[in-house]
Amino acid sequence: MNSVIALLPYILTYKYLAIFVITVIANLFFPIPSGTILMASSAFASQGYFSFFWVFIAGSFGNIVGDNLGYWLARKYGLTILYKIGLRKKIESETYKKLELKIKDNSGFLIFITRFNVLSSLFVNIISGLSKISYKKFLLYVVLGETTQVLLYCSIGYMVGDNWQNISSSLNKILWFILLGIISLILIFWKKFWRKIIK
């Protein structure tokens, strides 16, 4: 929350450009809570400082651009970097290949659902690039996920106005629990598969 408060002067000064740049950075390599930034910006929109529409556009476009940059950097340079830091054996192992195949088979759902948490989003962008998941598929689910996520945060920020800080803290906790619950269900569903690849 402190990082968000520190960024507010830049958002108030540079407006939509700041929202765009912050969301690109958050989705590319630095886990700034971009959802909270969008909520705060929309709270300002409810008071007439910003346009709700342009906050939504800047946030959505920034998130999508950041996701795409992460995907393409991982796709083009990811393996080279992993090999250089000594992970060649892990990457070329049968276990990794099986895991990669399973992720490819369920990539749409994973890409969409992880847009609601910045850390999981960064991880899935990298895995998608390394696995060379179809770019068309990646882009489709990123656009669907990011616009849904941005609309959710912007709508809440706009509705709660001055109370955005209290709501943001609670919402982030709820989204973490939902994400952990979904991951738990996936792991239970894939129990036999995980046992096979761990052996």
Side-chain angles (χ1 to χ4, degrees), residues 35-184:
T36 307
I37 293 288
L38 294 168
M39 202 177 289
S41 301
S42 297
F44 290 129
S46 72
Q47 298 163 16
Y49 291 107
F50 293 131
S51 159
F52 178 88
F53 174 77
W54 287 111
V55 170
F56 171 76
I57 294 297
S60 297
F61 194 53
N63 282 350
I64 292 166
V65 169
D67 288 336
N68 276 271
L69 288 171
Y71 170 88
W72 282 110
L73 287 170
R75 183 163 177 157
K76 293 205 172 277
Y77 306 109
L79 285 178
T80 304
I81 292 168
L82 291 173
Y83 285 164
K84 282 184 178 179
I85 61 173
L87 295 176
R88 180 182 288 272
K89 286 184 180 178
K90 293 284 185 187
I91 297 298
E92 293 179 352
S93 69
E94 284 301 313
T95 300
Y96 179 81
K97 287 176 183 174
K98 287 177 183 177
L99 180 61
E100 189 177 52
L101 185 62
K102 201 67 178 177
I103 289 171
K104 279 184 178 179
D105 290 342
N106 298 276
S107 58
F109 173 76
L110 288 172
I111 292 164
F112 179 85
I113 202 67
T114 53
R115 299 308 96 184
F116 294 86
N117 179 275
V118 69
L119 287 173
S120 58
S121 177
L122 289 171
F123 175 74
V124 170
N125 291 346
I126 292 167
I127 291 294
S128 298
L130 287 173
S131 303
K132 292 185 169 55
I133 287 168
S134 162
Y135 177 64
K136 286 183 180 178
K137 186 175 186 180
F138 177 81
L139 182 61
L140 171 65
Y141 286 99
V142 159
V143 170
L144 290 173
E146 292 297 8
T147 52
T148 303
Q149 181 256 129
V150 171
L151 185 60
L152 171 69
Y153 277 106
C154 287
S155 298
I156 292 170
Y158 192 84
M159 286 187 287
V160 301
D162 289 337
N163 296 316
W164 67 268
Q165 286 178 287
N166 298 326
I167 299 294
S168 175
S169 179
S170 301
L171 184 62
N172 283 333
K173 289 175 185 175
I174 291 167
L175 289 173
W176 265 111
F177 280 117
I178 291 171
L179 187 65
L180 288 172
I182 290 167
I183 290 170
S184 299

